[in-house]
Amino acid sequence: MSFLRRVLEGRPDGLRATLRRAVRGAPPASTETPPVASAPPRAPEPGERALALGREPPRDVTPPEGFEVVLHREALAPGRIIDVIVGGRDIAIANVDGTFHAIANACSHAEGPLAEGTLEGCTVTCPYHAWSFDVRDGSCVNAPWKPVRSYAVKVVGDAVCVEL
């Protein structure tokens, strides 16, 4: 049953869980008195609430020809992977030790959301059936004849840009 729940609900820190919390609101407050804060919490910037990213993509950057700005360089910490929709495509963006990589966000085996999988080094593992892919080139560890599409990535200033 836990496998089915994970497939339907995603990881606790994944995009589906984040969106579900945003739609449902915060959990009920406890009856304890909250600690006194030194400063009020800041309001999230546009886009932060929906994607749970730290920063919105820079708007003052002109991407190279054929590329689109997808996120702010500091919005994705090393060792993390997220999905973005750009140009009508669902793309998984991974930060591997400060280097960004982009692959299609659909596993070639069962179309599982790779951005909700586990990223270890340069390998992301699909949450559905544990197929693994190299985020640098989209190659599949389990079935080399079934890669996913990879996209060229360039960092321009603070903008992470993906070639479409």
Side-chain angles (χ1 to χ4, degrees), residues 74-87:
E74 295 175 1
L76 187 61
R80 303 286 301 192
I81 186 168
I82 61 164
D83 67 323
V84 296
I85 305 290
V86 60

Side-chain angles (χ1 to χ4, degrees), residues 13 21 32 41 53 58 69 72 127 132 142 158-159 164:
D13 63 340
R21 282 192 301 273
E32 297 178 14
L53 298 176
V69 176
H72 193 283
S132 297
N142 306 77
D158 285 333
L164 296 181

Side-chain angles (χ1 to χ4, degrees), residues 55-130:
R55 303 196 65 171
E56 191 170 328
R59 298 181 193 274
D60 60 344
V61 173
T62 302
E65 184 70 31
F67 283 74
E68 291 289 328
V69 176
V70 293
L71 59 99
H72 193 283
R73 182 183 55 170
E74 295 175 1
L76 187 61
R80 303 286 301 192
I81 186 168
I82 61 164
D83 67 323
V84 296
I85 305 290
V86 60
R89 298 178 185 151
D90 191 6
I91 300 175
I93 309 288
N95 182 343
V96 179
D97 298 325
T99 303
F100 292 89
H101 304 281
I103 59 174
N105 190 36
C107 171
S108 58
H109 171 241
E111 307 234 345
L114 295 177
E116 292 185 22
T118 305
L119 179 66
E120 292 180 14
C122 293
T123 304
V124 62
T125 303
C126 177
Y128 286 3
H129 300 107

Side-chain angles (χ1 to χ4, degrees), residues 35-56:
V36 176
S38 59
R42 71 171 180 82
E45 294 179 24
E48 273 188 83
R49 201 173 312 128
L51 294 176
L53 298 176
R55 303 196 65 171
E56 191 170 328

Side-chain angles (χ1 to χ4, degrees), residues 153-164:
V153 177
K154 289 186 180 180
V155 177
V156 179
D158 285 333
V160 177
C161 306
V162 173
E163 185 176 33
L164 296 181

